[in-house]
Amino acid sequence: MSRVDAHHHVWDLSVRDQTWMVGPDFAPIRRNFTADDLAPLAAAADITATVLVQTVGVLAETGEFLEVAASNDLVAGVVGWVDLTAPDIADVLANLQARPDGQYLKGIRHQVHDEPDLEWLLRSDVQRGLAAVADAGLVYDLLTKTPHLPAAIKTAQALPQLSFVVDHISKPAIGGSLDPWATDLRALAALPNVTCKLSGMVTEANWTSWTPADLKPYADVVLDAFTPDRVMFGSDWPVCLLAASYGDVVAAAETLTADLTPAEREAIFTTTATTTYNLTT
């Protein structure tokens, strides 16, 4: 069965710095990564399509990623960045979609978890921008941590016409208390316009000693709250390399979903992503 990796990145440090890589801990990934680097790893895991996701709040990167998708058979879609607060956001989105490679733009994301205002998503200018994303027929990826979930819930309630995708299960600290993360994530999952990526867990756990058993309580909450038909696998490569190889991340996801039915596993590894992002694989 062919499978989809719904979340990975690339970057070229000669083009721009990845300013979030602060300190020596990020040394293992402080180099260039391309879709061609991912290709053999994906092939070994029977991944035949991917979603390339923004890394910085720079509009130029979105165009660059669209070019990557157009020139690479592996990348089936792009989640890019635009300034949600810009008065001309509708025009910006329309211009991106009008490009020769514009059909690869599937969604928009912003590093909400870096905003000091925990209610940034509820700002009127942001809400207007999110409505424009919906009007453009795009998805919005929620990059949040636990303290941002109450605002995310209100936002998804206020914009039922917009499809939201929770990245990295909202980044709970693996090994800590499940609540309030679990309670808030369940409230978000109760909304029909929200799906969730089973991704980004290994780097929220102990980088050197994690096991699938450490991840299981969190994955179980996600699978129970969203059900498999609203959950999709993502590797978060190459960020995952801080704690695990690409193969290890795929294997962990397979272990965490081993008790599901074949149809449920197909949803997580293929159908949810292709449907949510309208991918042609």
Side-chain angles (χ1 to χ4, degrees), residues 114-126:
D114 290 337
E115 294 290 344
D117 179 4
L118 296 181
E119 295 193 333
W120 184 86
L121 283 165
L122 298 175
R123 285 172 36 171
S124 60
D125 53 355
V126 174

Side-chain angles (χ1 to χ4, degrees), residues 121-197:
L121 283 165
L122 298 175
R123 285 172 36 171
S124 60
D125 53 355
V126 174
Q127 294 268 309
R128 176 183 173 277
L130 290 171
V133 172
D135 290 343
L138 300 172
V139 173
Y140 185 74
D141 271 34
L142 283 163
L143 183 56
T144 55
K145 293 185 177 181
T146 300
H148 307 90
L149 283 173
I153 294 164
K154 294 176 182 177
T155 298
Q157 289 172 330
L159 294 160
Q161 75 274 29
L162 180 56
S163 177
F164 292 88
V165 179
V166 180
D167 287 352
H168 310 330
I169 70 171
S170 201
K171 299 174 75 71
I174 303 295
S177 172
L178 287 175
D179 278 323
W181 167 81
T183 297
D184 288 341
L185 194 75
R186 287 183 184 279
L188 193 55
L191 304 174
N193 58 324
V194 185
T195 58
C196 186
K197 290 181 184 176

Side-chain angles (χ1 to χ4, degrees), residues 22-93:
V22 178
D25 290 345
F26 290 93
I29 61 171
R30 196 174 284 115
R31 61 181 179 85
N32 296 344
F33 289 92
T34 71
D36 288 339
D37 295 327
L38 176 59
L41 307 176
D46 195 24
I47 300 290
T48 58
T50 68
V51 177
L52 174 57
V53 180
Q54 66 90 219
T55 66
V56 292
V58 177
L59 182 60
E61 183 192 64
T62 303
E64 294 158 7
F65 281 6
L66 293 175
E67 292 174 0
V68 170
S71 63
N72 191 290
D73 289 339
L74 182 63
V75 180
V78 169
V79 174
W81 182 91
V82 299
D83 182 358
L84 289 174
T85 69
D88 64 343
I89 182 174
D91 293 335
V92 173
L93 292 171

